[in-house]
Short mmCIF file of all heavy atoms in Angstrom, two decimals:
data_model
loop_
_atom_site.label_atom_id
_atom_site.label_comp_id
_atom_site.label_asym_id
_atom_site.label_seq_id
_atom_site.Cartn_x
_atom_site.Cartn_y
_atom_site.Cartn_z
N SER A 143 25.50 -17.91 -13.39
CA SER A 143 24.95 -17.94 -14.76
C SER A 143 25.20 -16.62 -15.49
O SER A 143 24.99 -16.51 -16.69
CB SER A 143 23.45 -18.23 -14.73
OG SER A 143 22.75 -17.10 -14.27
N LEU A 144 25.63 -15.60 -14.73
CA LEU A 144 25.89 -14.28 -15.34
C LEU A 144 27.40 -14.03 -15.47
O LEU A 144 27.85 -12.89 -15.48
CB LEU A 144 25.21 -13.19 -14.51
CG LEU A 144 23.69 -13.32 -14.49
CD1 LEU A 144 23.08 -12.53 -13.35
CD2 LEU A 144 23.11 -12.87 -15.82
N GLN A 156 28.78 -6.36 -5.21
CA GLN A 156 27.37 -6.70 -5.04
C GLN A 156 27.18 -7.59 -3.82
O GLN A 156 26.47 -8.57 -3.87
CB GLN A 156 26.85 -7.45 -6.27
CG GLN A 156 26.91 -6.63 -7.52
CD GLN A 156 26.11 -7.27 -8.65
OE1 GLN A 156 25.34 -8.18 -8.43
NE2 GLN A 156 26.30 -6.77 -9.84
N THR A 169 20.81 -9.40 -6.05
CA THR A 169 21.50 -8.10 -6.09
C THR A 169 21.15 -7.34 -7.36
O THR A 169 21.56 -6.20 -7.54
CB THR A 169 23.02 -8.31 -6.06
OG1 THR A 169 23.38 -9.12 -7.20
CG2 THR A 169 23.46 -8.99 -4.79
N GLN A 170 20.48 -8.00 -8.28
CA GLN A 170 20.12 -7.41 -9.57
C GLN A 170 18.92 -8.19 -10.11
O GLN A 170 18.61 -9.28 -9.62
CB GLN A 170 21.30 -7.50 -10.53
CG GLN A 170 21.95 -8.87 -10.52
CD GLN A 170 23.32 -8.92 -11.19
OE1 GLN A 170 23.70 -7.97 -11.84
NE2 GLN A 170 24.03 -10.01 -11.03
N THR A 171 18.24 -7.63 -11.11
CA THR A 171 17.12 -8.40 -11.69
C THR A 171 17.62 -9.30 -12.83
O THR A 171 16.83 -10.06 -13.40
CB THR A 171 15.98 -7.48 -12.18
OG1 THR A 171 16.53 -6.49 -13.03
CG2 THR A 171 15.26 -6.83 -11.02
N SER A 172 18.94 -9.27 -13.11
CA SER A 172 19.50 -10.11 -14.19
C SER A 172 19.16 -11.60 -14.08
O SER A 172 18.99 -12.26 -15.12
CB SER A 172 21.02 -9.96 -14.25
OG SER A 172 21.39 -8.62 -14.12
N PRO A 173 19.06 -12.19 -12.86
CA PRO A 173 18.69 -13.60 -12.80
C PRO A 173 17.35 -13.90 -13.46
O PRO A 173 17.13 -15.03 -13.93
CB PRO A 173 18.66 -13.92 -11.30
CG PRO A 173 18.75 -12.64 -10.58
CD PRO A 173 19.42 -11.68 -11.51
N VAL A 174 16.46 -12.90 -13.51
CA VAL A 174 15.16 -13.13 -14.18
C VAL A 174 15.41 -13.37 -15.68
O VAL A 174 14.81 -14.27 -16.28
CB VAL A 174 14.20 -11.93 -13.98
CG1 VAL A 174 12.84 -12.23 -14.63
CG2 VAL A 174 14.02 -11.62 -12.51
N GLN A 175 16.35 -12.57 -16.27
CA GLN A 175 16.66 -12.78 -17.69
C GLN A 175 17.31 -14.16 -17.89
O GLN A 175 17.00 -14.87 -18.85
CB GLN A 175 17.62 -11.71 -18.22
CG GLN A 175 16.98 -10.36 -18.44
CD GLN A 175 17.45 -9.36 -17.42
OE1 GLN A 175 17.06 -9.47 -16.25
NE2 GLN A 175 18.26 -8.41 -17.81
N ALA A 176 18.23 -14.51 -16.95
CA ALA A 176 18.92 -15.80 -17.07
C ALA A 176 17.90 -16.95 -17.02
O ALA A 176 17.97 -17.90 -17.80
CB ALA A 176 19.95 -15.95 -15.96
N ARG A 177 16.93 -16.84 -16.10
CA ARG A 177 15.89 -17.88 -15.98
C ARG A 177 15.05 -17.94 -17.25
O ARG A 177 14.71 -19.02 -17.74
CB ARG A 177 14.96 -17.57 -14.79
CG ARG A 177 15.56 -17.88 -13.43
CD ARG A 177 14.63 -17.38 -12.33
NE ARG A 177 15.16 -17.70 -11.01
CZ ARG A 177 14.98 -18.88 -10.41
NH1 ARG A 177 14.28 -19.83 -11.01
NH2 ARG A 177 15.51 -19.11 -9.22
N LEU A 179 15.84 -16.96 -20.32
CA LEU A 179 16.63 -17.52 -21.42
C LEU A 179 16.61 -19.04 -21.38
O LEU A 179 16.37 -19.72 -22.36
CB LEU A 179 18.09 -17.04 -21.31
CG LEU A 179 18.46 -15.69 -21.94
CD1 LEU A 179 19.95 -15.44 -21.75
CD2 LEU A 179 18.10 -15.64 -23.43
N VAL A 196 15.68 -5.09 -5.65
CA VAL A 196 16.96 -5.78 -5.47
C VAL A 196 17.61 -5.31 -4.16
O VAL A 196 17.20 -4.30 -3.59
CB VAL A 196 17.92 -5.52 -6.66
CG1 VAL A 196 17.32 -6.04 -7.95
CG2 VAL A 196 18.27 -4.06 -6.78
N ARG A 198 21.30 -4.92 -1.69
CA ARG A 198 22.77 -4.97 -1.59
C ARG A 198 23.18 -4.56 -0.20
O ARG A 198 22.50 -3.75 0.44
CB ARG A 198 23.40 -4.01 -2.62
CG ARG A 198 23.23 -4.55 -4.02
CD ARG A 198 24.04 -3.83 -5.04
NE ARG A 198 23.60 -4.26 -6.37
CZ ARG A 198 24.07 -3.80 -7.49
NH1 ARG A 198 25.01 -2.88 -7.49
NH2 ARG A 198 23.63 -4.24 -8.65
N PHE A 210 16.69 -1.33 -3.39
CA PHE A 210 16.27 -0.36 -4.41
C PHE A 210 15.61 -1.13 -5.56
O PHE A 210 15.38 -2.34 -5.44
CB PHE A 210 17.44 0.51 -4.87
CG PHE A 210 18.63 -0.24 -5.43
CD1 PHE A 210 18.87 -0.29 -6.81
CD2 PHE A 210 19.53 -0.89 -4.60
CE1 PHE A 210 19.96 -0.96 -7.33
CE2 PHE A 210 20.63 -1.58 -5.12
CZ PHE A 210 20.84 -1.61 -6.48
N THR A 211 15.27 -0.43 -6.63
CA THR A 211 14.61 -1.13 -7.73
C THR A 211 15.51 -1.07 -8.97
O THR A 211 16.36 -0.20 -9.10
CB THR A 211 13.23 -0.52 -8.07
OG1 THR A 211 13.42 0.84 -8.44
CG2 THR A 211 12.29 -0.60 -6.90
N GLN A 212 15.29 -2.02 -9.83
CA GLN A 212 16.00 -2.05 -11.11
C GLN A 212 15.00 -2.37 -12.20
O GLN A 212 13.98 -3.01 -11.96
CB GLN A 212 17.05 -3.16 -11.13
CG GLN A 212 18.40 -2.74 -10.62
CD GLN A 212 19.46 -3.80 -10.92
OE1 GLN A 212 19.15 -4.90 -11.36
NE2 GLN A 212 20.69 -3.45 -10.68
N ILE A 213 15.34 -1.95 -13.40
CA ILE A 213 14.60 -2.47 -14.55
C ILE A 213 15.66 -2.78 -15.60
O ILE A 213 16.51 -1.95 -15.90
CB ILE A 213 13.49 -1.49 -15.02
CG1 ILE A 213 12.57 -2.13 -16.05
CG2 ILE A 213 14.02 -0.21 -15.54
CD1 ILE A 213 11.21 -1.44 -16.16
N GLU A 214 15.65 -4.02 -16.01
CA GLU A 214 16.65 -4.47 -16.98
C GLU A 214 15.95 -4.98 -18.23
O GLU A 214 14.82 -5.44 -18.17
CB GLU A 214 17.51 -5.59 -16.39
CG GLU A 214 18.35 -5.11 -15.23
CD GLU A 214 19.43 -6.12 -14.87
OE1 GLU A 214 19.27 -7.32 -15.16
OE2 GLU A 214 20.43 -5.69 -14.30
N GLY A 215 16.65 -4.89 -19.35
CA GLY A 215 16.08 -5.36 -20.61
C GLY A 215 17.01 -6.34 -21.28
O GLY A 215 18.24 -6.31 -21.06
N LEU A 216 16.44 -7.23 -22.08
CA LEU A 216 17.24 -8.23 -22.80
C LEU A 216 16.57 -8.52 -24.14
O LEU A 216 15.36 -8.75 -24.19
CB LEU A 216 17.32 -9.52 -21.97
CG LEU A 216 18.01 -10.71 -22.64
CD1 LEU A 216 19.52 -10.53 -22.63
CD2 LEU A 216 17.65 -12.00 -21.89
N PHE A 252 31.15 -4.87 -17.56
CA PHE A 252 30.28 -5.70 -16.73
C PHE A 252 30.62 -7.15 -17.07
O PHE A 252 30.89 -7.46 -18.24
CB PHE A 252 28.79 -5.45 -17.04
CG PHE A 252 28.37 -4.02 -16.88
CD1 PHE A 252 28.05 -3.25 -17.99
CD2 PHE A 252 28.32 -3.43 -15.62
CE1 PHE A 252 27.68 -1.92 -17.86
CE2 PHE A 252 27.95 -2.09 -15.48
CZ PHE A 252 27.63 -1.33 -16.60
N PHE A 254 28.75 -9.65 -17.41
CA PHE A 254 27.75 -10.35 -18.23
C PHE A 254 27.60 -9.79 -19.63
O PHE A 254 26.82 -10.31 -20.42
CB PHE A 254 26.39 -10.37 -17.52
CG PHE A 254 26.17 -9.24 -16.55
CD1 PHE A 254 25.79 -7.97 -17.00
CD2 PHE A 254 26.39 -9.44 -15.19
CE1 PHE A 254 25.61 -6.94 -16.09
CE2 PHE A 254 26.21 -8.40 -14.29
CZ PHE A 254 25.82 -7.14 -14.73
N THR A 255 28.29 -8.69 -19.95
CA THR A 255 28.21 -8.12 -21.30
C THR A 255 29.61 -7.85 -21.85
O THR A 255 30.54 -7.54 -21.10
CB THR A 255 27.39 -6.81 -21.30
OG1 THR A 255 27.85 -5.99 -20.22
CG2 THR A 255 25.91 -7.06 -21.19
N SER A 258 30.87 -3.69 -23.15
CA SER A 258 29.93 -3.04 -22.23
C SER A 258 30.05 -1.53 -22.38
O SER A 258 31.11 -1.02 -22.72
CB SER A 258 30.26 -3.41 -20.78
OG SER A 258 30.23 -4.81 -20.62
N VAL A 259 28.95 -0.87 -22.11
CA VAL A 259 28.95 0.60 -22.21
C VAL A 259 28.18 1.21 -21.05
O VAL A 259 27.36 0.54 -20.41
CB VAL A 259 28.29 1.10 -23.53
CG1 VAL A 259 29.10 0.70 -24.75
CG2 VAL A 259 26.84 0.60 -23.65
N GLU A 260 28.45 2.50 -20.83
CA GLU A 260 27.58 3.27 -19.95
C GLU A 260 26.98 4.38 -20.80
O GLU A 260 27.66 4.90 -21.69
CB GLU A 260 28.35 3.83 -18.77
CG GLU A 260 28.23 2.88 -17.59
CD GLU A 260 29.22 3.15 -16.49
OE1 GLU A 260 30.44 3.08 -16.76
OE2 GLU A 260 28.77 3.44 -15.39
N GLU A 283 25.08 10.51 -16.33
CA GLU A 283 25.03 9.05 -16.49
C GLU A 283 23.63 8.52 -16.15
O GLU A 283 23.05 8.88 -15.14
CB GLU A 283 26.06 8.41 -15.57
CG GLU A 283 26.22 6.94 -15.84
CD GLU A 283 27.16 6.29 -14.82
OE1 GLU A 283 28.18 6.91 -14.47
OE2 GLU A 283 26.85 5.18 -14.39
N ILE A 284 23.12 7.63 -17.02
CA ILE A 284 21.74 7.12 -16.84
C ILE A 284 21.70 5.63 -16.61
O ILE A 284 20.96 5.14 -15.78
CB ILE A 284 20.91 7.44 -18.12
CG1 ILE A 284 20.71 8.93 -18.27
CG2 ILE A 284 19.56 6.73 -18.11
CD1 ILE A 284 19.79 9.50 -17.22
N LEU A 285 22.46 4.86 -17.40
CA LEU A 285 22.32 3.40 -17.31
C LEU A 285 23.55 2.69 -17.87
O LEU A 285 24.44 3.31 -18.47
CB LEU A 285 21.05 2.92 -18.04
CG LEU A 285 20.80 3.34 -19.49
CD1 LEU A 285 21.67 2.56 -20.48
CD2 LEU A 285 19.33 3.08 -19.83
N GLY A 286 23.56 1.36 -17.64
CA GLY A 286 24.62 0.52 -18.19
C GLY A 286 24.02 -0.45 -19.20
O GLY A 286 22.84 -0.79 -19.12
N ALA A 287 24.84 -0.91 -20.13
CA ALA A 287 24.32 -1.81 -21.18
C ALA A 287 25.48 -2.55 -21.85
O ALA A 287 26.65 -2.34 -21.51
CB ALA A 287 23.53 -1.01 -22.20
N GLY A 288 25.14 -3.40 -22.80
CA GLY A 288 26.19 -4.08 -23.55
C GLY A 288 25.64 -5.24 -24.36
O GLY A 288 24.43 -5.51 -24.33
N MET A 289 26.54 -5.89 -25.11
CA MET A 289 26.16 -7.09 -25.88
C MET A 289 26.35 -8.29 -24.95
O MET A 289 27.39 -8.41 -24.28
CB MET A 289 27.04 -7.24 -27.13
CG MET A 289 26.96 -6.05 -28.07
SD MET A 289 25.27 -5.60 -28.56
CE MET A 289 24.81 -7.00 -29.58
N VAL A 290 25.32 -9.15 -24.88
CA VAL A 290 25.34 -10.28 -23.94
C VAL A 290 26.60 -11.12 -24.16
O VAL A 290 26.92 -11.51 -25.30
CB VAL A 290 24.07 -11.14 -24.08
CG1 VAL A 290 24.11 -12.32 -23.10
CG2 VAL A 290 22.82 -10.30 -23.84
N HIS A 291 27.33 -11.39 -23.08
CA HIS A 291 28.58 -12.16 -23.15
C HIS A 291 28.29 -13.57 -23.68
O HIS A 291 27.32 -14.21 -23.23
CB HIS A 291 29.20 -12.24 -21.75
CG HIS A 291 30.63 -12.64 -21.76
ND1 HIS A 291 31.04 -13.90 -22.13
CD2 HIS A 291 31.76 -11.94 -21.47
CE1 HIS A 291 32.36 -13.96 -22.04
NE2 HIS A 291 32.82 -12.78 -21.65
N VAL A 294 27.46 -16.19 -21.16
CA VAL A 294 26.13 -16.12 -20.56
C VAL A 294 25.11 -16.81 -21.47
O VAL A 294 24.26 -17.57 -21.01
CB VAL A 294 25.73 -14.64 -20.29
CG1 VAL A 294 24.28 -14.53 -19.82
CG2 VAL A 294 26.67 -14.02 -19.26
N LEU A 295 25.24 -16.57 -22.78
CA LEU A 295 24.33 -17.23 -23.74
C LEU A 295 24.50 -18.74 -23.69
O LEU A 295 23.52 -19.50 -23.61
CB LEU A 295 24.61 -16.72 -25.16
CG LEU A 295 24.14 -15.28 -25.47
CD1 LEU A 295 24.62 -14.87 -26.87
CD2 LEU A 295 22.62 -15.17 -25.39
N ALA A 298 23.09 -20.44 -20.68
CA ALA A 298 21.62 -20.50 -20.69
C ALA A 298 21.11 -21.42 -21.79
O ALA A 298 19.90 -21.52 -22.02
CB ALA A 298 21.05 -19.11 -20.88
N PHE A 308 21.49 -7.94 -26.90
CA PHE A 308 21.94 -6.84 -26.04
C PHE A 308 21.16 -6.85 -24.74
O PHE A 308 20.07 -7.44 -24.66
CB PHE A 308 21.86 -5.49 -26.76
CG PHE A 308 20.47 -5.00 -27.11
CD1 PHE A 308 19.58 -4.56 -26.12
CD2 PHE A 308 20.07 -4.94 -28.44
CE1 PHE A 308 18.33 -4.10 -26.45
CE2 PHE A 308 18.80 -4.47 -28.78
CZ PHE A 308 17.93 -4.05 -27.78
N ALA A 309 21.75 -6.21 -23.73
CA ALA A 309 21.08 -6.10 -22.43
C ALA A 309 21.38 -4.71 -21.88
O ALA A 309 22.39 -4.10 -22.23
CB ALA A 309 21.59 -7.16 -21.47
N PHE A 310 20.48 -4.25 -21.06
CA PHE A 310 20.72 -2.96 -20.38
C PHE A 310 20.08 -3.00 -19.00
O PHE A 310 19.22 -3.85 -18.73
CB PHE A 310 20.15 -1.79 -21.21
CG PHE A 310 18.69 -1.92 -21.51
CD1 PHE A 310 17.72 -1.45 -20.63
CD2 PHE A 310 18.26 -2.53 -22.69
CE1 PHE A 310 16.38 -1.59 -20.91
CE2 PHE A 310 16.91 -2.68 -22.97
CZ PHE A 310 15.96 -2.20 -22.09
N GLY A 311 20.57 -2.12 -18.13
CA GLY A 311 20.02 -2.10 -16.78
C GLY A 311 20.04 -0.69 -16.23
O GLY A 311 20.97 0.07 -16.51
N MET A 312 18.98 -0.36 -15.50
CA MET A 312 18.94 0.99 -14.91
C MET A 312 18.21 0.95 -13.57
O MET A 312 17.51 -0.02 -13.26
CB MET A 312 18.24 1.96 -15.85
CG MET A 312 16.77 1.69 -16.03
SD MET A 312 16.06 2.74 -17.28
CE MET A 312 15.91 1.61 -18.65
N GLY A 313 18.41 2.01 -12.79
CA GLY A 313 17.74 2.14 -11.50
C GLY A 313 16.63 3.17 -11.63
O GLY A 313 16.91 4.35 -11.85
N PRO A 314 15.35 2.75 -11.49
CA PRO A 314 14.25 3.72 -11.57
C PRO A 314 14.39 4.87 -10.58
O PRO A 314 13.94 5.99 -10.86
CB PRO A 314 13.01 2.87 -11.27
CG PRO A 314 13.37 1.52 -11.77
CD PRO A 314 14.84 1.37 -11.48
N ARG A 316 17.16 6.44 -9.83
CA ARG A 316 18.03 7.44 -10.46
C ARG A 316 17.25 8.18 -11.57
O ARG A 316 17.36 9.40 -11.70
CB ARG A 316 19.28 6.75 -11.04
CG ARG A 316 20.23 7.75 -11.65
CD ARG A 316 21.63 7.20 -11.87
NE ARG A 316 22.42 8.17 -12.64
CZ ARG A 316 22.95 9.27 -12.16
NH1 ARG A 316 22.77 9.57 -10.87
NH2 ARG A 316 23.64 10.11 -12.92
C1 2U9 B 401 21.60 -11.36 -18.78
C2 2U9 B 401 22.55 -10.82 -19.63
C3 2U9 B 401 22.93 -9.51 -19.48
C4 2U9 B 401 22.09 -6.53 -17.61
C5 2U9 B 401 22.87 -5.26 -17.53
C6 2U9 B 401 23.70 -3.39 -16.70
C7 2U9 B 401 24.39 -3.47 -17.86
C8 2U9 B 401 23.86 -2.28 -15.73
C9 2U9 B 401 23.16 -1.34 -13.63
C10 2U9 B 401 22.62 0.00 -13.94
C11 2U9 B 401 22.38 0.72 -12.67
C12 2U9 B 401 22.36 -1.83 -12.48
O1 2U9 B 401 20.69 -0.42 -11.14
S1 2U9 B 401 22.03 -0.45 -11.49
O2 2U9 B 401 22.99 -0.45 -10.47
N1 2U9 B 401 23.05 -2.31 -14.67
O3 2U9 B 401 24.68 -1.43 -15.87
N2 2U9 B 401 22.83 -4.40 -16.50
S2 2U9 B 401 23.93 -4.83 -18.68
O4 2U9 B 401 22.78 -7.45 -18.37
C13 2U9 B 401 22.39 -8.73 -18.49
C14 2U9 B 401 21.44 -9.25 -17.65
C15 2U9 B 401 21.06 -10.59 -17.80
C16 2U9 B 401 21.20 -12.80 -18.92
#
Side-chain angles (χ1 to χ4, degrees):
S143 73
L144 296 162
Q156 298 193 13
T169 58
Q170 45 195 349
T171 52
S172 316
V174 183
Q175 286 109 289
R177 284 173 178 276
L179 274 182
V196 299
R198 289 192 191 177
F210 57 104
T211 60
Q212 271 192 351
I213 190 159
E214 294 194 336
L216 174 76
F252 303 110
F254 26 81
T255 47
S258 302
V259 293
E260 266 165 300
E283 189 185 320
I284 293 290
L285 53 76
M289 301 307 291
V290 180
H291 197 292
V294 173
L295 287 174
F308 66 71
F310 56 87
M312 67 186 104
R316 182 163 172 77

